[in-house]
Amino acid sequence: MHSLWHVTQHNTENVPTDGPLLLAGNHTGFLDGPLIAGVAPRPVHFLVKKEMFVGPLGPILLALGQIPVDRDHPDRAAIQSALATLRSGGVLGVFPEGTRTTGEFESVHNGLAYFALATGAPILPVACLGTATNGKTVGSLPTPRTHLDLVYGTPVTLAELTQGSEGLGRRQKIAAISEDLRVRLAAHVQYAKQLTGRDN
């Protein structure tokens, strides 16, 4: 990554040095996952759509510990692999928006909240800036030597997320946590833009 692009990481001291961790990123470009996995202070295991494992890239992704997931159907095997990663003290990378978007966290899926509840792992926001023109997908790799920024936030504990939701059922609790996370992640993206002076 560093040989192709100018990558600056901000607030790396916020990344816990050990223990389970959910790394939650915004997702505007194809490069976001490889960028985080390539330069983060700790090895990161991402849930990657199964279509990416077809052809010569598949064995490479598996060797790097990435987890194939079927996004069209409930994928019990992917969920169990993700849980095993966290329970063994590893880092699971998640894009809570589910796919590439404007990266503003206008909505999030419930998977991130589920993994946090199931394992107690803290959640660390990370903003990827400069990886793509907002909302573009195909052919959106930044040109070589482009300056990219990764901005890490402050870990959010499960105790913080569940405060005030003690009387809710499991589904309602997951929904409440998801909305809390959406607000926190959106605020982190805005903070990252102010810190770096970028608009995307």
Side-chain angles (χ1 to χ4, degrees):
M1 288 296 168
H2 288 289
S3 65
L4 290 172
W5 296 279
H6 294 293
V7 182
T8 301
Q9 297 193 83
H10 307 263
N11 305 335
T12 54
E13 68 277 5
N14 289 345
V15 182
T17 56
D18 55 22
L21 181 68
L22 283 156
L23 198 57
N26 63 330
H27 198 16
T28 61
F30 174 80
L31 189 63
D32 295 328
L35 175 64
I36 295 172
V39 303
R42 294 176 59 186
V44 182
H45 306 270
F46 271 99
L47 289 163
V48 180
K49 61 181 180 180
K50 67 176 185 179
E51 291 83 359
M52 296 298 294
F53 290 80
V54 176
L57 184 59
I60 297 173
L61 290 172
L62 289 172
L64 293 172
Q66 308 311 304
I67 303 168
V69 60
D70 185 344
R71 298 193 303 174
D72 298 321
H73 305 91
D75 192 336
R76 191 177 299 272
I79 292 171
Q80 291 305 314
S81 294
L83 291 172
T85 295
L86 293 168
R87 287 168 177 158
S88 65
V91 181
L92 180 68
V94 178
F95 292 118
E97 296 166 291
T99 188
R100 282 166 283 199
T101 68
T102 61
E104 300 290 340
F105 288 107
E106 295 171 4
S107 65
V108 299
H109 293 281
N110 287 335
L112 182 60
Y114 167 78
F115 287 129
L117 267 179
T119 64
I123 297 167
L124 181 71
V126 57
C128 305
L129 302 177
T131 53
T133 301
N134 280 352
K136 276 195 172 183
T137 53
V138 178
S140 62
L141 280 178
T143 56
R145 315 315 298 171
T146 296
H147 181 204
L148 311 177
D149 288 283
L150 281 182
V151 183
Y152 299 97
T154 303
V156 183
T157 67
L158 183 60
E160 292 176 78
L161 292 170
T162 55
Q163 192 171 16
S165 64
E166 293 81 0
L168 298 178
R170 186 168 179 80
R171 287 192 178 186
Q172 290 91 344
K173 183 177 288 189
I174 288 176
I177 291 173
S178 292
E179 176 58 17
D180 187 353
L181 285 169
R182 186 194 69 76
V183 173
R184 291 173 186 263
L185 293 170
H188 177 67
V189 171
Q190 295 308 310
Y191 158 76
K193 289 180 178 181
Q194 292 174 6
L195 178 70
T196 60
R198 311 186 66 117
D199 59 6
N200 65 57

